[in-house]
């Protein structure tokens, strides 16, 4: 059956001749304090079995395209690797991201890569058009340091 149409982002991560996996939703706070660790909750939908243990990157990027915070890990910290997903699986995948950047507004980018070769999967839109190798999931505004009362 067709996948449910929900979520605030969409990207199908795949090789050109495969169906791959879809990123269907990203939950994150849009404001947080410097030095805070936030949770970025991803919702994946598997369209087919993946050929290896792909990892997820989460990059927080400034206006000069510099990565100011990042997390690189397998989904669910390796407890349920992409190579074990089968067509139809829905996976909620939380990632902690430490915000060590100075106050400001930053873009959150999400992608899938092979930690052995550093190759990234392409990202396709709903019309099967390749548009890059990451999905922009919105912005996070970092405010001043956390108070330690």
């Amino acid at each position: 059956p067709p996948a449910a149409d929900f979520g605030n982002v969409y990207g199908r991560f795949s090789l050109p001749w495969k169906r791959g996996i879809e990123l269907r939703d990203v939950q994150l706070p849009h404001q947080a304090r410097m030095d805070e660790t936030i949770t970025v909750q991803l919702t994946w939908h598997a369209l087919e079995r993946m050929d290896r243990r792909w990892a997820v990157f989460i990059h927080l990027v400034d206006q000069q395209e510099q990565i100011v915070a990042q997390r690189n890990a397998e989904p669910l910290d390796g407890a349920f690797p992409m190579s074990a997903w089968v067509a139809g699986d829905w996976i909620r995948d939380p990632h902690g991201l430490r915000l060590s950047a100075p106050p400001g507004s930053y873009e959150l980018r999400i992608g899938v890569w092979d930690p052995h070769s550093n190759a990234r999967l392409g990202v396709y839109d709903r019309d099967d058009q390749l548009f890059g190798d990451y999905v922009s999931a919105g912005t996070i505004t970092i405010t001043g340091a956390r108070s330690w009362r």
Side-chain angles (χ1 to χ4, degrees), residues 119-149:
R120 291 183 178 187
L121 284 178
V123 183
Y124 296 81
D125 65 17
R126 293 180 191 273
D127 296 321
D128 287 330
Q129 298 298 309
L130 178 67
F131 68 85
D133 61 6
Y134 66 85
V135 169
S136 179
T139 59
I140 297 175
T141 300
I142 298 177
T143 61
R146 182 186 303 171
S147 88
W148 299 101
R149 294 186 208 177

Side-chain angles (χ1 to χ4, degrees), residues 23-144:
L23 178 61
R24 297 301 298 269
D25 190 60
V26 179
Q27 299 297 314
L28 63 131
H30 292 286
Q31 185 171 345
R33 293 194 164 278
M34 186 171 55
D35 295 325
E36 186 176 352
T37 298
I38 63 167
T39 298
V40 178
Q41 173 91 0
L42 310 177
T43 301
W44 299 99
H45 179 234
L47 299 176
E48 68 181 346
R49 181 162 240 148
M50 299 298 280
D51 64 344
R52 65 190 85 163
R53 293 179 70 132
W54 293 94
V56 175
F57 70 79
I58 299 174
H59 292 165
L60 198 61
V61 180
D62 67 16
Q63 293 178 353
Q64 290 75 41
E65 301 284 315
Q66 298 299 310
I67 298 170
V68 297
Q70 67 181 323
R71 168 141 167 107
N72 298 294
E74 284 189 61
L76 299 166
D77 287 325
F80 188 28
M82 282 187 193
S83 58
W85 300 0
V86 297
D89 281 348
W90 287 88
I91 297 92
R92 293 213 184 230
D93 179 26
H95 292 263
L97 180 65
R98 177 110 175 131
L99 303 177
S100 55
S105 186
Y106 300 91
E107 179 187 11
L108 189 79
R109 296 176 177 174
I110 299 164
V112 176
W113 64 291
D114 180 344
H116 300 291
S117 69
N118 288 326
R120 291 183 178 187
L121 284 178
V123 183
Y124 296 81
D125 65 17
R126 293 180 191 273
D127 296 321
D128 287 330
Q129 298 298 309
L130 178 67
F131 68 85
D133 61 6
Y134 66 85
V135 169
S136 179
T139 59
I140 297 175
T141 300
I142 298 177
T143 61

